[in-house]
Amino acid sequence: MSVLDEKRLCIIPARGGSKRIPRKNIRPFFGKPVIAYAIETALHSQLFSKVFVSTDDPEIAMIAETFGADVDFLRSSKSSSDTATTLEVLKEVIQEFESKGGGFDEVLCLYPVTPLVTIDHLVLGHRLLQQSFKSVVFPVMEFGHPIWRALEMVGAKGKRIWPEHTSSRTQDLKKTYHDTGQWYWFRTMDLKDKESFNELDASPYIMPEILVQDVDNESDWKMLEMKYQLLTNP
């Protein structure tokens, strides 16, 4: 069965109104807009019958099409707001294609600032979706330090959230993980009546730290550059 027969869609959500790093989704990254890496990874994986960029921004749309993605339509004002969730954006795209007779069985949501994502991990994530019979597969990374030793600030004082672990050795505490915010594999039929990804039966996919970098500020961006250089120029 070919990719076209399997009706598999990649959605790259790329709103124009990034607040913390203005124009983050198309910021230059080693010679090309950072969104280009996500587009090219999706295209070169040969997993998808369509790679679509969901955006409200004509400049982002033009850049996306330059690098080979499709932008059949722009986002609605509702899904372009600061309060719109990723799930709302994905549903809008899926429903738009279904209304035109072009539905998809499986979807990958791939975020635009993900130059560390590799084809191999997308393939393995998709394989896990098919083999595990879960509703969604997403990458996670181990917390660098056990959360059980965490503090919260109460006034000017630090208070243990889990005081029972005050004297516990870090090596004795169980490992915990967090969502990397890079991609989500899911089946469209499992998403239709859901309001949150938390409602889906999930299968986490563990990623190494070197391939993960959240980007919320300039320091994060510098770390992303450093990791990319380490991976591409070992």
Side-chain angles (χ1 to χ4, degrees), residues 47 55 72 75 80 86-87 128 132 169 175 200 226:
L47 287 167
T55 186
D72 302 62
R75 284 192 199 182
S80 302
T86 296
L87 190 58
L128 181 57
S132 67
R169 300 189 309 168
K175 295 180 179 180
L200 297 173
M226 290 171 61

Side-chain angles (χ1 to χ4, degrees), residues 27-42:
R27 181 170 173 167
F29 188 83
F30 294 106
K32 53 189 173 185
V34 71
I35 193 175
Y37 293 85
I39 293 170
E40 291 174 345
T41 297

Side-chain angles (χ1 to χ4, degrees), residues 18-212:
S18 176
K19 294 291 191 296
R20 288 173 288 196
I21 301 180
R23 311 299 288 166
K24 178 176 72 172
N25 293 330
I26 54 173
R27 181 170 173 167
F29 188 83
F30 294 106
K32 53 189 173 185
V34 71
I35 193 175
Y37 293 85
I39 293 170
E40 291 174 345
T41 297
L43 290 171
H44 293 162
S45 74
Q46 298 185 328
L47 287 167
F48 306 101
S49 47
K50 192 176 192 68
V51 176
F52 177 83
V53 170
S54 170
T55 186
D56 59 329
D57 188 290
E59 183 183 11
I60 293 177
M62 179 186 70
I63 290 172
E65 291 176 332
T66 298
F67 284 93
D70 294 321
V71 187
D72 302 62
F73 51 88
L74 295 179
R75 284 192 199 182
S76 67
S77 57
K78 180 181 179 181
S79 66
S80 302
S81 69
D82 291 339
T83 58
T85 66
T86 296
L87 190 58
E88 289 172 335
V89 171
L90 298 177
K91 281 188 171 183
E92 179 180 80
V93 173
I94 292 167
Q95 290 167 3
E96 181 68 22
F97 282 122
E98 287 180 345
S99 70
K100 297 177 180 177
F104 294 89
D105 300 322
E106 298 171 338
V107 176
L108 173 75
C109 170
L110 176 61
Y111 286 101
V113 186
T114 51
L116 304 180
V117 169
T118 68
I119 291 173
D120 287 345
H121 288 291
L122 294 185
V123 170
L124 290 171
H126 178 251
R127 188 176 301 166
L128 181 57
L129 179 74
Q130 294 188 317
Q131 294 176 349
S132 67
F133 301 102
K134 298 290 186 178
S135 299
V136 62
V137 172
F138 64 97
V140 299
M141 186 184 82
E142 183 183 344
F143 276 101
H145 188 80
I147 63 171
W148 314 109
R149 300 293 297 276
L151 304 173
E152 61 179 337
M153 297 305 295
V154 180
K157 296 182 179 180
K159 178 183 177 182
R160 295 277 184 187
I161 298 176
W162 292 281
E164 64 271 27
H165 293 303
T166 298
S167 301
S168 300
R169 300 189 309 168
T170 56
Q171 62 265 39
D172 294 333
L173 296 170
K174 65 181 179 180
K175 295 180 179 180
T176 54
Y177 300 83
H178 62 86
D179 185 349
T180 68
Q182 293 176 313
W183 49 263
Y184 299 91
W185 271 112
F186 59 91
R187 299 181 184 86
T188 53
M189 63 179 294
D190 295 325
L191 202 70
K192 292 184 182 299
D193 60 344
K194 301 297 188 295
E195 299 299 326
S196 167
F197 275 117
N198 293 330
E199 298 178 49
L200 297 173
D201 189 16
S203 182
Y205 176 91
I206 300 175
M207 295 285 290
E209 183 179 1
I210 188 63
L211 293 179
V212 177

